[in-house]
Amino acid sequence: MRSLPHTALALARKLKFHQLQVFDRVLETGSLVRAANETGLTQPAASKIVHELEATFGAPLFLRSNRGMQPTEFGELLGRRVKSMMAELRYLTDEVNAFGSGASGHVIVGTLISASAELLPRTIARLKASAPGVLVSVREAAMTQLFPALASGDLDIVVGRLPERALPLANAFALTHQVLFSESLCVVGGAKHWARAPRHVPLARLRDGAWILPVPESPSRLAAERLFHEAGLALPDDVVESLSVRTNIGLILDSPRGGLMPRAAAARFVDSGLLRVLADTEPGSFGDVGYSLRADKRPSPACERFIACLREVCDRAAGV
């Protein structure tokens, strides 16, 4: 790093926004080839831009190896600021487009299992019916990954189970949380494996079988642990820990493995004949489902339209 301090004016004169876009894509993908493809450049051109940035800052940004491009400590520092700048550019683009047409833009939605199977598909369908020009990108991950991405501007909104207020994660970032409804857990199994089971199977009978539970760092794991604790039972011994809807459904369909799912998320698979509800739990046992936004940033017009559709779907389901 150069000994002389940089100034805002000097960096403004030297840096080009397109350079930062390329840097952001290399940071995100870990690959010069993919970054070049995403920004419409050749690989040598993308590599030249990275070298120019390193020369400007007087410090290496990446460690290059056959496993890809890994950011240096300084590269990670720069990346945190560049991600915020890229988010602001996206917001500006959406607002300019919305000002002209009112029906375009880009919404990047982070989602959890409680929303990905039922609530989110219906919301997206409603949004696209009224505003087909709005691009929707969906990213499914654990809350511990989604909230930092929301705070940095990588996501516009997170939809799913809200963290309990007492949990550190609920207050770790400058976010606001809006409740849509309270959700219950249910125990589900593959319909073909449980065809002869009674209508309601006692949890004590199911406990000794094979299970899928949320990963330990997930707030929904607390709901699962509370369910067994209140029944006077220890957690199952044969457990797969997963938040992936696709993986969980595949495991349940291929073997007599039980799983805990939010009632709304399970409903579509039950209605289609793939899953069967083996046991219900107390109302509200899963927690509150809603959406989270940045506290320091007003949603883009496209995101506000998405939120309106989200609320309409919930109102319709509640019979409002």
Side-chain angles (χ1 to χ4, degrees):
M1 181 71 71
R2 294 173 178 170
S3 57
L4 292 178
H6 296 282
T7 66
L9 181 60
L11 285 179
R13 288 174 175 172
K14 293 178 181 179
L15 292 177
K16 298 177 182 178
F17 213 94
H18 189 54
Q19 292 176 315
L20 300 180
Q21 285 181 307
V22 172
F23 166 76
D24 177 66
R25 298 325 301 156
V26 176
L27 187 68
E28 183 71 21
T29 64
S31 166
L32 272 172
V33 174
R34 291 181 63 185
N37 290 338
E38 291 184 16
T39 54
L41 298 172
T42 63
Q43 182 179 348
S47 180
K48 180 182 178 182
I49 285 175
V50 172
H51 284 299
E52 289 172 347
L53 284 173
E54 291 176 328
T56 296
F57 289 105
L61 298 175
F62 296 98
L63 299 175
R64 298 157 175 82
S65 71
N66 56 6
R67 291 179 295 178
M69 307 279 284
Q70 299 296 319
T72 61
E73 184 177 357
F74 180 70
E76 291 179 347
L77 180 152
L78 180 62
R80 288 192 290 271
R81 294 300 180 185
V82 169
K83 281 185 177 295
S84 295
M85 295 173 68
M86 293 301 107
E88 289 297 328
L89 176 63
R90 187 163 52 82
Y91 298 150
L92 174 61
T93 303
D94 286 353
E95 289 175 4
V96 169
N97 289 335
F99 183 83
S101 68
S104 62
H106 187 189
V107 184
I108 304 180
V109 184
T111 185
L112 302 151
I113 184 174
S114 52
S116 59
E118 183 81 5
L119 177 60
L120 193 55
R122 291 188 175 182
T123 299
I124 293 173
R126 193 175 189 91
L127 173 68
K128 297 297 281 186
S130 63
V134 175
L135 172 63
V136 180
S137 299
V138 178
R139 299 178 185 174
E140 184 176 337
M143 194 181 297
T144 50
Q145 298 170 294
L146 295 175
F147 278 9
L150 177 61
S152 69
D154 280 354
L155 299 174
D156 295 313
I157 185 171
V158 171
V159 182
R161 183 186 185 277
L162 299 177
E164 297 175 17
R165 294 182 183 276
L167 292 178
L169 184 62
N171 306 298
F173 305 96
L175 305 176
T176 61
H177 308 287
Q178 301 295 322
V179 177
L180 293 171
F181 58 90
S182 292
E183 179 64 295
S184 301
L185 282 172
C186 63
V187 182
V188 297
K192 67 178 181 180
H193 301 294
W194 296 89
R196 298 183 179 180
R199 184 176 179 84
H200 294 289
V201 185
L203 188 62
R205 175 183 167 188
L206 295 170
R207 183 262 169 207
D208 292 333
W211 279 81
I212 303 171
L213 295 178
V215 295
E217 61 270 20
S218 166
S220 58
R221 177 61 173 260
L222 293 177
E225 292 178 355
R226 188 183 300 120
L227 176 67
F228 284 94
H229 176 73
E230 292 178 351
L233 301 170
L235 290 179
D237 299 316
D238 183 353
V239 171
V240 173
E241 296 176 336
S242 169
L243 286 177
S244 169
V245 175
R246 185 174 298 177
T247 300
N248 295 355
I249 296 298
L251 284 169
I252 290 172
L253 293 180
D254 289 342
S255 63
R257 184 174 291 273
L260 287 167
M261 291 185 70
R263 201 62 168 83
R268 177 164 294 186
F269 301 107
V270 172
D271 292 343
S272 67
L274 293 175
L275 300 184
R276 179 177 171 185
V277 174
L278 304 177
D280 280 309
T281 64
E282 292 297 320
S285 58
F286 181 68
D288 291 330
V289 173
Y291 61 92
S292 302
L293 299 167
R294 286 175 61 179
D296 60 345
K297 184 70 181 179
R298 179 177 176 178
S300 69
C303 187
E304 288 182 337
R305 185 184 285 263
F306 174 87
I307 293 170
C309 292
L310 184 65
R311 288 189 172 278
E312 289 168 5
V313 168
C314 290
D315 289 344
R316 185 172 182 180
V320 176

